[in-house]
């Protein structure tokens, strides 16, 4: 549905996007992750036909954003990180203006505006003035604007930027609903845990290049392995502690890292070995109240992937 082919963008001597190639299938919610300056916004602007690449091509539903920008604009809804609003316009008037810009007749406009106000939870603010809305409400209004012409691809650059936790939760629910509508969504964000909840796939950008692209599950598996965490309800006798530590060393080849109330084993093993460790600890009388591998997070995987890339770049 969306594809970048050897995309390059230079600003003078600065290489912002470096031969980027990736493909996002129809109906995916795809996350763009990367530090500032990684090339996320530049790539999005090229896809939205707001910027020409130095080389390469970007396609939306098979149409080139470089060679046929007018056709692509009908397929894309773009929501920038920062945007302006018009003073002295009510919410419905603001949307009505943009409905007119995309050529909707009066009857269709009213129906479409009502649909988008309901989708973005702004129906109650229909008669409110735009410049009096909160940051979160303005973000949702901009999202409604981007959806006005019913695009196939929705490009959202930091959609939750500057929002408080409640507003981010509202935006997350709206984006989840949009994903369920079958639209292809491209989201950039620094809020990595939210991307793991929203996205079906993710691309990690570093210095304009894709250092990883795939499913969120695959991204999390890029971790070198989650440690085994054993939580204790109380501290047992010293002799029991020593026996338990020795048993874990035998099973995993290393002693656990012990802190009050918690033991951690970094070594990897199969589920059978983990299960045997739990049985052994219980048989020894260890007061185990929690046992399992720590869940790998997208944020940890991101740090690992980008850290590995930085190390290779320094060689």
């Amino acid at each position: 549905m969306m594809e970048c082919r050897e995309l390059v963008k230079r600003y003078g001597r600065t290489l912002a996007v470096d031969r980027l190639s990736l493909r996002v299938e129809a109906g995916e919610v795809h996350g763009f992750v990367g530090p500032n300056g990684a090339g996320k916004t530049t790539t999005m602007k090229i896809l939205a036909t707001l910027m020409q690449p130095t080389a390469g091509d970007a396609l939306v539903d098979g149409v080139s954003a470089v060679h046929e920008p007018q056709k692509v604009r009908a397929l894309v809804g773009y929501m920038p990180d920062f945007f302006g609003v018009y003073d002295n316009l009510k919410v419905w008037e603001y949307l009505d203006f943009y409905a007119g810009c995309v050529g909707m007749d009066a009857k269709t406009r009213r129906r479409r505006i009502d649909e988008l106000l309901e989708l973005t939870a702004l129906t109650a603010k229909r008669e409110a003035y735009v410049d009096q809305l909160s940051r979160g409400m303005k973000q949702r209004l901009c999202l409604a604007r981007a959806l006005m012409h019913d695009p196939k691809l929705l490009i959202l650059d930091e959609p939750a930027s500057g929002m408080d936790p409640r507003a981010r939760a509202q935006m997350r629910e709206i984006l989840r609903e949009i994903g369920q509508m079958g639209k292809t969504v491209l989201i950039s964000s620094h809020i990595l845990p939210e991307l793991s909840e929203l996205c079906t796939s993710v691309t990690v950008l570093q210095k304009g290049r894709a250092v990883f692209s795939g499913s969120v599950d695959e991204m999390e598996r890029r971790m070198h392995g989650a440690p085994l965490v054993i939580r204790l309800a109380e501290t047992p006798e010293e002799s029991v502690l020593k026996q338990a530590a020795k048993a874990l060393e035998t099973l995993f080849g290393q002693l656990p890292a012990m802190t009050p109330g918690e033991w951690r084993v970094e070594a990897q093993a199969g589920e059978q070995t983990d299960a045997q460790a739990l049985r052994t600890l219980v048989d020894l009388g260890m007061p185990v109240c929690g046992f399992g591998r720590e869940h790998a997070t997208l944020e940890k995987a991101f740090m690992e992937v980008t850290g590995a890339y930085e190390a290779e770049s320094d060689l």
Side-chain angles (χ1 to χ4, degrees), residues 97-118:
F97 171 76
Y98 281 99
C101 289
V102 298
M104 282 188 188
D105 60 69
K107 184 178 179 181
T108 305
R109 285 189 211 181
R110 288 193 292 270
R111 177 178 54 79
R112 185 62 177 158
I113 289 169
D114 288 344
E115 290 173 350
L116 292 173
L117 288 176
E118 183 176 355

Side-chain angles (χ1 to χ4, degrees), residues 35 56 62 97 116 127 154 163 210 212 220 235 253 310 314-315:
F97 171 76
L116 292 173
E127 298 293 334
L154 192 59
M163 289 186 179
F212 172 85
E220 292 178 345
T235 303
E310 286 287 352
D314 290 340
L315 293 178

Side-chain angles (χ1 to χ4, degrees), residues 234-277:
E234 58 188 40
T235 303
E237 295 181 0
E238 186 68 25
S239 60
V240 176
L241 284 174
K242 288 181 179 180
Q243 290 181 65
K246 183 64 177 176
L248 292 180
E249 183 182 24
T250 300
L251 287 170
F252 295 105
Q254 64 178 228
L255 286 168
M258 293 177 275
T259 57
E262 183 178 287
W263 287 13
R264 298 173 72 88
V265 179
E266 298 293 336
Q268 299 303 297
E271 291 182 355
Q272 293 296 327
T273 303
D274 286 358
Q276 185 179 347

Side-chain angles (χ1 to χ4, degrees), residues 4-81:
C4 295
R5 296 179 178 173
E6 293 289 311
L7 204 60
V8 175
K9 180 62 181 179
R10 291 182 179 275
Y11 297 99
R13 301 178 66 178
T14 301
L15 184 60
V17 180
D18 184 8
R19 292 171 296 164
L20 176 64
S21 292
L22 67 94
R23 182 178 178 84
V24 178
E25 300 298 336
E28 282 194 56
V29 180
H30 190 83
F32 247 9
V33 191
N36 290 333
K40 304 187 300 297
T41 296
T42 298
T43 302
M44 287 180 152
K45 285 184 175 180
I46 292 171
L47 284 164
T49 75
L50 298 175
M51 183 180 291
Q52 285 282 310
T54 306
D57 202 356
L59 293 91
V60 178
D61 203 23
V63 183
S64 169
V66 177
H67 302 294
E68 299 181 276
Q70 286 294 93
K71 289 184 179 180
V72 168
R73 285 167 194 161
L75 301 171
V76 172
Y78 175 63
M79 177 178 168
D81 183 7

Side-chain angles (χ1 to χ4, degrees), residues 45-46 61 89 92 107 124 127 136 146 182 197 236 286 303 309:
K45 285 184 175 180
I46 292 171
D61 203 23
L89 277 183
W92 77 266
K107 184 178 179 181
E127 298 293 334
E197 293 178 14
M286 289 284 285
M303 295 301 293
Y309 178 80

Side-chain angles (χ1 to χ4, degrees), residues 89-299:
L89 277 183
K90 294 181 179 180
V91 166
W92 77 266
E93 292 173 330
Y94 179 85
L95 293 178
D96 187 68
F97 171 76
Y98 281 99
C101 289
V102 298
M104 282 188 188
D105 60 69
K107 184 178 179 181
T108 305
R109 285 189 211 181
R110 288 193 292 270
R111 177 178 54 79
R112 185 62 177 158
I113 289 169
D114 288 344
E115 290 173 350
L116 292 173
L117 288 176
E118 183 176 355
L119 175 65
T120 55
L122 287 172
T123 300
K125 294 294 181 179
R126 181 187 182 91
E127 298 293 334
Y129 284 95
V130 172
D131 56 345
Q132 295 175 354
L133 298 180
S134 67
R135 168 70 174 173
M137 290 177 184
K138 287 179 181 177
Q139 291 284 80
R140 301 205 304 272
L141 181 62
C142 187
L143 178 60
R145 186 186 81 186
L147 287 165
M148 181 60 69
H149 59 299
D150 197 22
K152 289 188 175 182
L153 172 65
L154 192 59
I155 299 175
L156 309 176
D157 194 0
E158 298 279 353
S161 174
M163 289 186 179
D164 61 41
R166 182 182 294 275
R168 285 202 303 271
Q170 287 178 315
M171 178 64 80
R172 185 167 61 244
E173 289 303 314
I174 293 167
L175 294 179
R176 186 174 289 115
E177 186 173 346
I178 290 171
Q180 291 171 353
M181 292 164 59
K183 293 191 179 297
T184 305
V185 184
L186 180 62
I187 308 175
S188 75
S189 180
H190 289 12
I191 307 171
L192 301 182
E194 290 197 354
L195 282 186
S196 66
E197 293 178 14
L198 279 172
C199 298
T200 55
S201 57
V202 65
T203 292
V204 179
L205 293 181
Q206 184 82 330
K207 296 181 179 178
R209 306 190 74 177
V211 297
F212 172 85
S213 190
S215 70
V216 171
D217 288 342
E218 184 182 352
M219 177 69 178
E220 292 178 345
R221 287 196 295 271
R222 289 291 296 271
M223 293 285 292
H224 289 317
L228 175 64
V229 179
I230 303 163
R231 292 186 175 83
L232 306 177
E234 58 188 40
T235 303
E237 295 181 0
E238 186 68 25
S239 60
V240 176
L241 284 174
K242 288 181 179 180
Q243 290 181 65
K246 183 64 177 176
L248 292 180
E249 183 182 24
T250 300
L251 287 170
F252 295 105
Q254 64 178 228
L255 286 168
M258 293 177 275
T259 57
E262 183 178 287
W263 287 13
R264 298 173 72 88
V265 179
E266 298 293 336
Q268 299 303 297
E271 291 182 355
Q272 293 296 327
T273 303
D274 286 358
Q276 185 179 347
L278 178 58
R279 285 195 299 269
T280 300
L281 293 174
V282 172
D283 290 345
L284 288 171
M286 289 284 285
V288 178
C289 63
F291 184 96
R293 292 284 169 179
E294 188 176 72
H295 179 63
T297 66
L298 185 60
E299 189 162 9

